[in-house]
Amino acid sequence: MAGRTKKPHVIAIGEVVYDIMPDSRKLGGAPADFLHYAVKAGAKGSLISAIGADDLGREVVAELNKFNIEPVLAVTPYPTGRVLIFKNSDGRHTAHILENAAWDYIPYTEAAEKCVQTADAAFFGTLALRKPYSRGTVLDLIDAVPEKAYKFFDVNLRQDYYDKELIQSLLHKANILKLNSDELKVLKPLLKLNGSAEDVCEKLKNAYGLEYLILTDASKESRVYGKELTVVKNSGVRQAFAYGAGNAFAGTFMTSLLNGATQQEAHDAANQAAISVCVANSKKI
């Protein structure tokens, strides 16, 4: 693996929330979670979002600083985002994402623009674009990311906060796409794609000029379609324990590539990070 003397700058744009569970709460949202693992893998991380002028907003800043993630956060008149988390009888989690949160109104600021202009990679998903205000900001910020940088689109379909137009607009801006097997089943009819999972992945990669397409199935395997196809098999990992594993995979994969790893090396490191999350989750049951 080739090294580099300067840490790559990885940014994430989108929602920042607190996950509220019956007996505890913790910083949540895919962008922050992605950055947590990107920083662990050796990146400089920055989160662009919005918070409220409230206690949770102040906690967000403190938590990001604790995890060595630079907060690039606008303060809005809206409350800091919250997600109510419920655990189902099968061990899986159900999330109820509260409306009209601060991250629904992310403004385009000079600080955010300066941040994206130094990015080696930018991470984004569909959720933060559920309302027009943040949708416009996020799309404009992605356009301000340097052309040579990676644009990592992690589909992360949540509730009904997505449509065909939104997904296609983000696909046109991305050069890396990550989705799981359940999300692929949703995209096939939505984008009118036919064929096997492998056929659909190849069609998506070619149609949108993606450098990498990542398809994960925590209980079976992960596949990365790049200049080559790499496949890493899993064994003994229950899907119920996969909460947060996708973000661990994404953050580790992105930073590993930026630090000079081959596709196979980045894939192996990302898969191990995801398995570690699954193992940690299983011990909490």
Side-chain angles (χ1 to χ4, degrees):
M1 183 187 299
R4 56 185 287 167
T5 57
K6 184 179 178 182
K7 286 185 176 182
H9 185 198
V10 178
I11 69 166
I13 311 167
E15 70 276 8
V16 63
V17 305
Y18 255 87
D19 289 336
I20 311 296
M21 291 155 279
D23 57 353
S24 63
R25 69 187 186 201
K26 70 179 184 67
L27 185 67
D33 206 23
F34 164 86
L35 286 174
H36 171 59
Y37 291 99
V39 168
K40 284 182 69 173
K44 171 190 173 183
S46 302
L47 176 64
I48 298 173
S49 189
I51 56 174
D54 50 30
D55 288 341
L56 273 186
R58 287 182 281 275
E59 285 187 39
V60 166
V61 174
E63 285 294 289
L64 291 175
N65 286 329
K66 184 172 76 174
F67 291 118
N68 295 315
I69 298 170
E70 177 193 16
V72 186
L73 306 174
V75 179
T76 76
Y78 299 91
T80 299
R82 291 181 297 151
V83 178
L84 307 182
I85 305 290
F86 307 94
K87 187 180 292 183
N88 303 324
S89 58
D90 64 357
R92 296 196 185 201
H93 293 79
T94 299
H96 177 62
I97 306 165
L98 300 188
E99 295 277 353
N100 290 315
W103 57 266
D104 285 316
Y105 302 94
I106 303 170
Y108 192 104
T109 64
E110 183 179 352
E113 183 178 57
K114 286 183 177 179
C115 181
V116 300
Q117 288 174 343
T118 63
D120 295 297
F123 172 93
F124 49 90
T126 57
L127 180 56
L129 287 76
R130 68 179 179 176
K131 290 192 180 294
Y133 191 99
S134 281
R135 180 179 294 204
T137 299
V138 173
L139 294 176
D140 287 346
L141 286 171
I142 295 170
D143 287 342
V145 173
E147 185 177 351
K148 65 180 180 180
Y150 286 113
K151 289 89 173 178
F152 194 121
F153 175 25
D154 195 342
V155 175
N156 274 333
L157 301 179
R158 296 290 182 267
Q159 294 175 206
D160 58 351
Y161 299 131
Y162 62 90
D163 55 35
K164 178 180 178 180
E165 180 184 2
L166 172 60
I167 289 172
Q168 287 183 320
S169 67
L170 292 174
L171 281 169
H172 281 297
K173 295 181 183 298
N175 50 34
I176 300 181
L177 172 66
K178 179 186 166 295
L179 68 169
N180 61 38
S181 53
D182 289 335
E183 290 161 345
L184 183 65
K185 292 174 185 176
V186 175
L187 290 193
K188 283 182 68 173
L190 192 68
L191 300 180
K192 294 181 169 57
L193 297 168
N194 298 311
S196 65
E198 185 168 356
D199 291 337
V200 171
C201 287
E202 291 287 1
K203 288 176 183 177
L204 281 170
K205 182 175 181 293
N206 294 332
Y208 294 97
L210 301 169
E211 292 187 46
Y212 297 95
L213 186 149
I214 302 164
L215 177 65
T216 62
D217 184 337
S219 62
K220 296 179 181 178
E221 66 180 23
S222 54
R223 304 169 74 89
V224 178
Y225 299 82
K227 293 181 180 178
E228 57 181 332
L229 170 63
T230 53
V231 181
V232 177
K233 299 287 185 180
N234 292 328
S235 60
V237 176
R238 284 178 51 196
Q239 188 72 35
F241 299 146
Y243 184 70
N247 296 324
F249 188 110
T252 305
F253 182 83
M254 187 71 273
T255 300
S256 297
L257 277 186
L258 288 169
N259 279 331
T262 65
Q263 178 179 317
Q264 185 68 66
E265 289 169 338
H267 192 170
D268 288 337
N271 193 72
Q272 190 55 54
I275 288 176
S276 296
V277 170
C278 294
V279 170
N281 288 344
S282 70
K283 293 178 180 178
K284 299 175 184 177
I285 303 298

